[in-house]
């Protein structure tokens, strides 16, 4: 008989297509994931996932049980969320997901304050550009620059964040400052890679400088800021972070873009005291840093 670990293993590999990605999702080693898969196939006496040159794919048997496995997962996760939501302790781990730069510059302010009043709460801060699932308990609280689309998520807007065009003094001495009428011709830019090019700030920057040469693609804001500070090109950066880098100059002729900051929690866990306490700490941190977020 299959147990929950077997189903978890099966679904992780089916979703991610490789042992390494599935292992990262379940926070185990790749060798552990491989042993679990061998154990699964041994228990069922059939191959559910087969290795191909491009990764794992479902066999006919795997496809036949996929829907039932997902239903089992939904039931197990609902049970976990119910238990977590009924836990009245102000202790334990709360998983928070946000992009790395925001977590480092803003959320750590709230975490420091939280631990003064609730030292029994531990934060697992997951910095990731992906939208982790609250329903699958990949995170308990998510902070995102945009609205949530999951119908079981309780969301609230907690602030706004300004973006501006930045450059180094050396870059401006060499290329000059772009004005409102320029299309970016003769300039070099640092921008996100194509998998994030559909975000509002990336769309704005691309439309503002369509003829600029892309000098660097990087999805890390930290990498972008350091590259712009070293004169690689113009960058469209969050003001709260870029304004702390002495070598960066905000281009005065370029308008800013505001993005909304939203926080979400699954409806099943929203009343858990430790999750409520962390949400309040996040809100207080964003409120405290409003001057930096909206300069």
């Amino acid at each position: 008989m299959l147990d929950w670990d077997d189903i978890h293993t099966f679904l992780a590999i089916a979703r991610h297509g490789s042992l390494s990605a599935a292992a990262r999702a379940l926070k185990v080693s790749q060798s552990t994931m491989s042993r679990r898969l061998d154990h699964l196939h041994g228990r069922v006496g059939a191959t559910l996932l087969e290795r191909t040159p491009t990764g794992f794919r479902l066999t006919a048997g795997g496809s036949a049980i996929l829907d039932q496995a997902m239903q089992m997962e939904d039931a197990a996760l609902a049970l976990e969320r119910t238990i977590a939501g009924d836990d009245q302790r102000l202790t334990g781990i709360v998983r928070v997901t946000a992009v790395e730069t925001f977590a480092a510059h803003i959320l750590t302010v709230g975490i420091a304050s939280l631990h003064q009043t609730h030292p029994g709460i531990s934060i697992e801060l997951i910095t990731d550009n992906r939208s982790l699932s609250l329903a699958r308990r990949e995170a308990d609280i998510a902070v995102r620059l945009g609205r949530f689309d999951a119908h079981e998520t309780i969301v609230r807007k907690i602030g706004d964040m300004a973006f501006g065009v930045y450059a180094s003094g050396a870059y401006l001495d060499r290329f000059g400052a772009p004005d409102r009428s320029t299309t970016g011709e003769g300039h070099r830019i640092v921008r996100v890679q194509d998998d994030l090019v559909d975000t509002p700030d990336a769309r704005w920057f691309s439309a503002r400088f369509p003829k600029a040469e892309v000098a660097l693609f990087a999805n890390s804001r930290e990498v972008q800021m350091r590259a712009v500070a070293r004169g690689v090109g113009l960058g469209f950066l969050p003001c709260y972070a870029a304004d702390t880098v002495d070598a960066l100059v905000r281009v005065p002729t370029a308008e800013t873009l505001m993005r909304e900051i939203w926080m979400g929690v699954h409806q099943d866990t929203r009343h858990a005291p430790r999750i409520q306490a962390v949400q309040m700490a996040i809100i207080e941190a964003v409120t405290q840093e409003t001057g930096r977020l909206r300069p």
Side-chain angles (χ1 to χ4, degrees), residues 228-242:
V228 174
R230 292 183 179 275
V232 174
L234 299 167
F236 197 48
L237 303 170
C239 297
Y240 72 85

Side-chain angles (χ1 to χ4, degrees), residues 102-110 113 158-162 239-241 243-244 261 281-295:
F102 185 82
H105 287 260
I106 306 298
L107 293 189
T108 51
V109 175
S113 175
I158 59 174
D160 296 286
M161 178 190 302
C239 297
Y240 72 85
D243 286 344
T244 66
I261 307 170
I282 292 172
I283 292 170
E284 290 171 5
V286 171
T287 301
Q288 180 179 332
E289 298 297 316
T290 296
R292 293 173 56 201
L293 290 165
R294 300 185 60 180

Side-chain angles (χ1 to χ4, degrees), residues 9-24:
T9 297
F10 169 72
L11 288 174
I13 299 174
R15 284 191 176 111
H16 297 283
S18 71
L19 291 177
S20 58
R24 287 194 298 271

